């Protein structure tokens, strides 16, 4: 695509959106590139928000790219501006300030919105969710005034907030509906290791129960559980999941089904519109079916593919799903996504200071997760990507050198 007269608009200054903008330039797109971002900050990485809140400080934002990069690559930033509508018939983007931008192509990188609890008291001051730096600053200010803190939902964001608050000396309780936190993504064996880590650090866990109300007059003072127990709370963080922000896509007639449905080239059902990041329902060769992959790493890689496609280069997004989490000074990482029926193998001799687990399917390694095991996980990544046959006995044995296995030529 020559594209010198073309104008591409990206909705959302997210990891996916900025990766796409930079990729367009890397692939020779010579036209105009505009990023429209509703927040007022330079685009920043969101994962550190839940990992660094403590003592009333969110620290310096980790920018996705420095200010000069946007000037160097001729990327226009419209900060503090919201897109009101997309008009496919006229190929225009309507902004909340009344401006109308012509766009030859649009990339939706709108991300996700935290779910809230529809229970009495959910609107009280001090009941917060964590999506952006504004939420992080509100939460940090409240935590600086002390606890107790109640975290509703034992997912990764909830546990990261719990860990940081506990390290800052606050009384912390995590309320989880399931049998234990993180059992969905990690399975019961590895989830119990993370649970033990929190309990040893003094986090109180309330599992197998739900929240029925938040108490207080103007500000939250307590959390009422389904068991009848009332937990005192100066602050509550609700981390029960997210929903994809598909509003613009749906209004523009884009096919959505638990996210914006895209192909491997990030194309939607409307040829003029592409999508990337957490908002997308995407195919992936390492998943059993299409779905959403909610992590910065995937968003960045998928966004780069979208940028290449918008520049006229037909790349495909086929990267192995990955995520990481930092809790109490330890890093938890996972490559791949297991499904029901996969065989789980825990490496023998693992301790409370770290663990390494694997999932195989018909003799092929499909996923691996560990805490404080970065070298082994890098080798496991290679084995998963190459679909290397490996036995459960070999994976379980500490004597098995995964790096040596990863160097063996792949079978064909």
């Amino acid at each position: 695509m020559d594209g010198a007269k073309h104008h591409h608009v990206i909705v959302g200054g997210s990891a996916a959106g900025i990766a796409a903008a930079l990729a367009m330039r890397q692939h020779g797109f010579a036209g105009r590139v505009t990023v429209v971002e509703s927040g007022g900050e330079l685009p920043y990485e969101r994962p550190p928000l839940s990992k660094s809140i403590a003592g009333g400080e969110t620290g310096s934002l980790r920018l996705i790219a420095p200010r000069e990069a946007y000037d160097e690559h001729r990327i226009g930033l419209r900060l503090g501006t919201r897109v009101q509508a997309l008009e496919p018939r006229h190929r225009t983007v309507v902004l909340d300030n009344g401006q109308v931008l012509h766009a030859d192509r649009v990339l939706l990188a709108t991300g996700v919105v935290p779910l809230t609890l529809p229970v009495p008291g959910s609107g009280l001051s001090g009941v917060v969710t964590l999506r952006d730096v504004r939420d992080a600053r509100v939460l940090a200010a409240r935590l600086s005034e002390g606890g107790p803190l109640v975290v509703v939902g034992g997912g990764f964001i909830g546990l990261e907030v719990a860990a940081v608050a506990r390290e800052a000396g606050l009384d912390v309780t995590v309320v989880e509906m399931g049998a234990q936190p993180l059992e969905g993504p990690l399975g019961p064996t590895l989830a119990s290791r993370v649970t033990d880590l929190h309990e040893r650090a003094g986090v109180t866990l309330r599992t197998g129960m739900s929240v029925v109300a938040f108490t207080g007059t103007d500000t939250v003072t307590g959390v009422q559980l389904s068991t009848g127990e009332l937990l005192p709370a100066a602050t509550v963080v609700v981390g029960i999941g997210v929903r994809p922000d598909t509003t613009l896509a749906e209004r523009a007639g884009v096919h959505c089904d638990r996210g914006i449905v895209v192909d491997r080239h990030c194309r939607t059902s409307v040829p003029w519109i592409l999508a990337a990041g957490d908002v997308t329902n995407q195919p992936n060769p390492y998943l059993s079916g299409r779905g959403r992959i909610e992590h910065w790493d995937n968003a960045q890689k998928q966004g780069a593919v979208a940028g290449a496609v918008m520049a006229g280069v037909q790349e495909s997004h086929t990267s192995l799903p990955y995520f990481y989490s930092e809790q109490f000074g330890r890093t938890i990482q996972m490559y791949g996504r297991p499904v029901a029926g996969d065989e789980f193998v825990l490496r023998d001799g693992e301790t409370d200071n770290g663990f390494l687990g694997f999932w195989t399917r018909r003799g092929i390694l499909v996923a691996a997760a560990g805490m404080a095991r970065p070298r082994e996980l890098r080798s496991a990544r290679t084995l998963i990507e190459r679909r290397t046959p490996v036995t459960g006995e070999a994976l379980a044995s500490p004597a098995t050198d995964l790096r040596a296995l990863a160097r063996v030529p792949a079978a064909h």
Side-chain angles (χ1 to χ4, degrees):
M1 179 187 295
D2 171 43
K5 296 182 180 179
H6 287 87
H7 181 203
H8 293 342
V9 175
I10 297 170
V11 184
S14 59
I18 302 307
L22 294 172
M24 274 189 253
R25 294 305 188 209
Q26 291 162 1
H27 288 281
F29 179 65
R32 292 173 58 205
V33 177
T34 300
V35 177
V36 183
E37 164 57 37
S38 60
E41 310 275 356
L42 277 176
Y44 55 89
E45 296 180 12
R46 294 178 188 267
L49 293 181
S50 59
K51 298 173 175 65
S52 60
I53 301 165
E57 298 292 336
T58 54
S60 299
L61 290 177
R62 188 185 301 171
L63 299 179
I64 298 174
R67 164 70 76 174
E68 53 269 23
Y70 299 98
D71 297 332
E72 176 186 350
H73 296 287
R74 296 178 292 112
I75 297 170
L77 285 178
R78 296 288 190 98
L79 301 178
T81 306
R82 192 174 298 275
V83 174
Q84 295 287 79
L86 306 176
E87 296 183 350
R89 190 173 68 172
H90 303 292
R91 293 203 170 190
T92 55
V93 178
V94 181
L95 307 182
D96 60 0
N97 60 9
Q99 284 188 290
V100 178
L101 305 178
H102 169 77
D104 294 282
R105 283 186 174 178
V106 167
L107 174 68
L108 293 175
T110 47
V112 292
V113 179
L115 297 176
T116 57
L117 272 176
V119 300
S122 60
L124 290 171
S125 175
V127 179
V128 301
T129 56
L130 184 59
R131 183 193 189 195
D132 56 29
V133 69
R134 292 167 293 186
D135 297 333
R137 286 170 177 159
V138 169
L139 178 56
R142 294 196 67 87
L143 295 184
S144 69
E145 298 174 0
L149 168 70
V150 175
V151 177
V152 183
F156 283 104
I157 289 179
L159 291 188
E160 286 170 359
V161 171
V164 172
R166 185 71 196 114
E167 288 178 315
L170 276 67
D171 291 331
V172 179
T173 300
V174 175
V175 180
E176 164 60 35
M177 288 185 65
Q180 59 183 337
L182 300 182
E183 191 162 308
L186 293 181
T189 302
L190 299 189
S192 68
R193 299 299 182 96
V194 180
T195 296
D196 290 344
L197 177 66
H198 279 258
E199 290 183 324
R200 291 197 308 272
V203 175
T204 301
L205 295 175
R206 294 283 190 271
T207 58
M209 59 191 70
S210 58
V211 172
V212 297
F214 300 113
T215 62
T217 304
D218 298 313
T219 300
V220 67
T221 58
V223 178
Q224 187 80 49
L225 302 182
S226 53
T227 58
E229 183 180 4
L230 180 64
L231 303 176
T235 303
V236 175
V237 174
V238 177
I240 57 172
V242 297
R243 62 171 177 83
D245 189 354
T246 58
T247 303
L248 282 174
E250 291 173 358
R251 290 175 180 170
V254 174
H255 177 49
C256 296
D257 178 15
R258 295 165 295 163
I260 301 175
V261 176
V262 298
D263 64 12
R264 292 184 182 180
H265 309 292
C266 304
R267 297 176 301 207
T268 73
S269 61
V270 176
W272 173 64
I273 299 173
L274 293 86
D278 292 359
V279 73
T280 59
N281 180 340
Q282 57 189 276
N284 186 288
Y286 299 100
L287 299 181
S288 58
R290 65 166 49 248
R292 286 193 299 112
I293 304 174
E294 297 168 8
H295 194 273
W296 179 88
D297 179 77
N298 174 79
Q300 185 183 50
K301 290 176 179 176
Q302 191 186 23
V305 168
V309 172
M310 294 173 81
V313 179
Q314 294 303 300
E315 290 194 355
S316 298
H317 177 57
T318 58
S319 298
L320 176 65
Y322 165 80
F323 73 73
Y324 79 99
S325 176
E326 293 175 356
Q327 299 174 35
F328 294 111
R330 294 174 175 83
T331 300
I332 302 166
Q333 297 172 285
M334 185 172 194
Y335 289 102
R337 294 287 189 276
V339 298
D342 290 344
E343 179 185 353
F344 174 74
V345 179
L346 178 68
R347 175 154 286 207
D348 294 335
E350 296 301 272
T351 68
D352 291 339
N353 294 322
F355 58 73
L356 189 60
F358 308 93
W359 290 264
T360 63
R361 188 179 308 151
R362 295 184 292 277
I364 303 294
L365 184 63
V366 295
M371 183 171 73
R373 296 291 186 269
R375 290 183 180 179
E376 293 94 332
L377 283 170
R378 283 195 294 270
S379 298
R381 172 183 180 174
T382 300
L383 296 173
I384 297 169
E385 290 176 333
R386 298 174 64 181
R387 294 176 169 82
T388 304
V390 60
T391 66
E393 291 78 7
L395 293 171
S397 173
T400 301
D401 185 349
L402 295 178
R403 286 174 292 180
L405 283 180
R407 290 193 293 266
V408 175
H412 296 286

